Structure formats: C-alpha cells, structure tokens
C-alpha cells in the first residue's frame, strides 16, 4: 500500500518545495500525495505527479489535511514553513503541527528534514 505524504508550503517556500519535489520525483511517485491548493497545483503543473488537492491553507486546507491525519490517512507531512513571515492563519498551522504530534506523524518543516523523512518512507522501493 502506498504511503500518503502531505505537501504544504508557505508562499515564500513554494519554489523550494518545487525544487524538493523535482529532486525527489521518483521517490514521490511511489507515494499518494496530498497538498494544499496552490502547492498542489504547482507540483502537478511542473512534475506531472498525481496530487490530491485540498483548499488553500488560509481557507481551511491545513485543517482539511489535519482531519486526514486524525483519521489515520496520512503517513508523513512535509510542511515547508516560512519562519520569518507572520501568517494570518497561524492558529491553523499550530493545530496541524499539534495533530501530527498527537497521532505520532512525522512532520518535516525544512528541506533537510524532508529529505530524511522521504528517504525513510521510500528506501525500500528503489
């Protein structure tokens, strides 16, 4: 069964997310990918990977992915956050990170950790 990986990126991290996905396209092809709206759209357009998209983060997408985590339908979260810019939906972001902790879901908030998480999930597929 495919592992489900959630991909989320703040506006200033979308290019970094695309670079991460392009670098790891083969590994990610073995995963079911879910993403918030804009991040998912960018990934689909530039990689051809199949991505299930939810609403944009500020419109509830973080909460929708959190619900999937609570229902045990997500195996890992890669959330490239912008730590230097205040986010208007910060409570949603905090709730998403909290639900990952509650359900013991690995969550990477930078590219270095994202590479480690993805490697662990896909190393048996190569």
């Amino acid at each position: 069964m495919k592992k489900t990986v959630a991909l989320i990126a703040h506006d200033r991290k979308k290019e970094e997310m695309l670079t991460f996905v392009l670098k790891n396209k083969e590994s990610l092809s073995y995963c079911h990918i879910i993403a918030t709206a804009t991040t998912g759209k960018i990934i689909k357009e530039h990689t051809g990977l199949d991505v299930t998209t939810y609403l944009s983060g500020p419109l509830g997408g973080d909460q929708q992915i959190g619900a999937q985590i609570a229902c045990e339908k997500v195996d890992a979260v890669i959330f490239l956050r912008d730590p230097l810019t205040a986010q208007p939906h910060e409570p949603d972001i905090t709730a998403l990170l909290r639900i990952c902790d509650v359900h013991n879901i690995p969550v990477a908030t930078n590219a270095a950790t994202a590479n480690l998480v993805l490697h662990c999930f896909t190393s048996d597929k190569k």
Side-chain angles (χ1 to χ4, degrees):
M1 178 176 274
K2 285 185 171 185
K3 299 282 187 182
T4 297
V5 178
L7 301 178
I8 307 165
H10 284 150
D11 289 345
R12 290 189 172 181
K13 296 292 185 169
K14 299 232 188 281
E15 187 174 320
E16 185 177 349
M17 176 63 82
L18 180 57
T19 299
F20 169 79
V21 172
L22 287 168
K23 178 182 171 189
N24 294 287
K25 184 176 175 181
E26 181 183 354
S27 294
L28 286 165
S29 71
Y30 294 106
C31 300
H32 173 230
I33 302 169
I34 65 173
T36 48
T38 308
T39 301
K41 180 182 177 191
I42 291 168
I43 292 167
K44 283 185 204 181
E45 287 177 355
H46 291 89
T47 68
L49 290 170
D50 186 34
V51 181
T52 301
T53 56
Y54 291 91
L55 295 172
S56 175
L59 298 178
D62 297 333
Q63 292 179 335
Q64 288 179 305
I65 290 176
Q68 294 300 304
I69 293 165
C71 292
E72 300 181 0
K73 294 180 179 178
V74 176
D75 299 293
V77 175
I78 296 173
F79 188 171
L80 300 186
R81 299 173 61 204
D82 179 2
L84 302 178
T85 303
Q87 301 297 325
H89 62 295
E90 191 66 40
D92 296 341
I93 296 164
T94 301
L96 177 65
L97 297 174
R98 182 179 301 116
I99 203 78
C100 288
D101 289 342
V102 167
H103 290 275
N104 203 32
I105 299 300
V107 58
T109 58
N110 60 61
T113 308
N115 282 310
L116 291 171
V117 169
L118 187 60
H119 176 75
C120 289
F121 274 53
T122 60
S123 60
D124 63 334
K125 301 294 182 196
K126 293 184 178 182

